[in-house]
Amino acid sequence: MEKVKKFKELCSEMEQRKKNLNEEVDIYIQKANHIRDLGGFISFDNKIIDPSNSIPNELKRKYECQFSQIHEHIQSQSHWIDEINQAYKEAQDEISEYVQQKTQSQDMVNHIRQIMGRIARVNRLAAIEYGEQFISNI
C-alpha cells in the first residue's frame, strides 16, 4: 500500500512543518515587538517603517530579510494543504481499489468510502488507518 504509506509519512512531515512554522511566527512576533519598542512598525510588505530614524539600518535589513522568509513560508502553507489533500485522495483511492479487488463488491467499496468520509471530517489520518484495518480484516 504505497500511497497509504506516502500519506502517513506526509502527515508526519506536515506536523513538523506546522511546528516549524509556529516557531517562525513566534520569532516574527518577537522581532516585530522589538521594532515596535524601538519606535518603528512593520508594513504590509514586511518593510520596517522607522519614523524617528532610531533603528540601525543593519538591523532593519536583517529583520526585513527574516520577515520576508517567514512570509514566504506562511504563503507556502496553501501548497502544503494541496499536497496533503492530494495524498489523502490517492491513499483513499488505493484502499478502495484494494477492497474492490479483495471483495469484488462495489457495495463494500461504497461502504468503506462512506465510513472513511465520516472519520475524515475529524481526522484524515484516522480514516486512512481505519481503511488499512478494514483491509487487514477482509
Side-chain angles (χ1 to χ4, degrees), residues 2-137:
E2 179 184 321
K3 293 182 181 182
V4 168
K5 181 181 176 187
K6 176 186 169 189
F7 175 75
K8 291 170 96 175
E9 289 171 355
L10 191 55
C11 284
S12 295
E13 184 182 326
M14 289 296 175
E15 282 299 314
Q16 187 60 45
R17 287 180 186 180
K18 181 181 173 187
K19 180 183 173 201
N20 293 345
L21 188 60
N22 286 340
E23 289 171 1
E24 286 186 281
V25 169
D26 288 344
I27 290 168
Y28 185 101
I29 291 168
Q30 290 171 2
K31 292 183 184 298
N33 286 338
H34 182 232
I35 294 298
R36 185 197 66 216
D37 293 343
L38 294 173
F41 59 93
I42 313 302
S43 71
F44 71 93
D45 59 350
N46 297 308
K47 300 293 181 198
I48 295 175
I49 310 300
D50 182 18
S52 61
N53 207 21
S54 61
I55 303 169
N57 285 333
E58 186 177 314
L59 182 64
K60 284 182 194 177
R61 282 191 296 277
K62 177 183 171 187
Y63 278 13
E64 286 174 350
C65 180
Q66 290 173 337
F67 291 156
S68 292
Q69 289 173 344
I70 293 169
H71 187 82
E72 285 178 27
H73 290 153
I74 290 169
Q75 286 182 319
S76 71
Q77 188 174 10
S78 64
H79 172 71
W80 301 348
I81 292 168
D82 292 343
E83 187 177 356
I84 195 79
N85 286 344
Q86 182 63 33
Y88 173 76
K89 183 185 177 319
E90 290 174 6
Q92 184 186 40
D93 289 347
E94 185 176 52
I95 288 170
S96 296
E97 289 171 18
Y98 194 82
V99 169
Q100 177 68 38
Q101 289 172 4
K102 287 284 260 187
T103 66
Q104 301 293 316
S105 168
Q106 187 60 42
D107 288 339
M108 191 62 73
V109 171
N110 294 341
H111 173 74
I112 191 69
R113 278 188 165 274
Q114 186 177 46
I115 291 173
M116 287 176 65
R118 286 186 199 135
I119 296 169
R121 289 184 202 135
V122 178
N123 185 326
R124 287 187 289 182
L125 180 57
I128 293 300
E129 289 173 345
Y130 173 83
E132 282 183 304
Q133 183 63 40
F134 184 85
I135 287 170
S136 68
N137 292 334

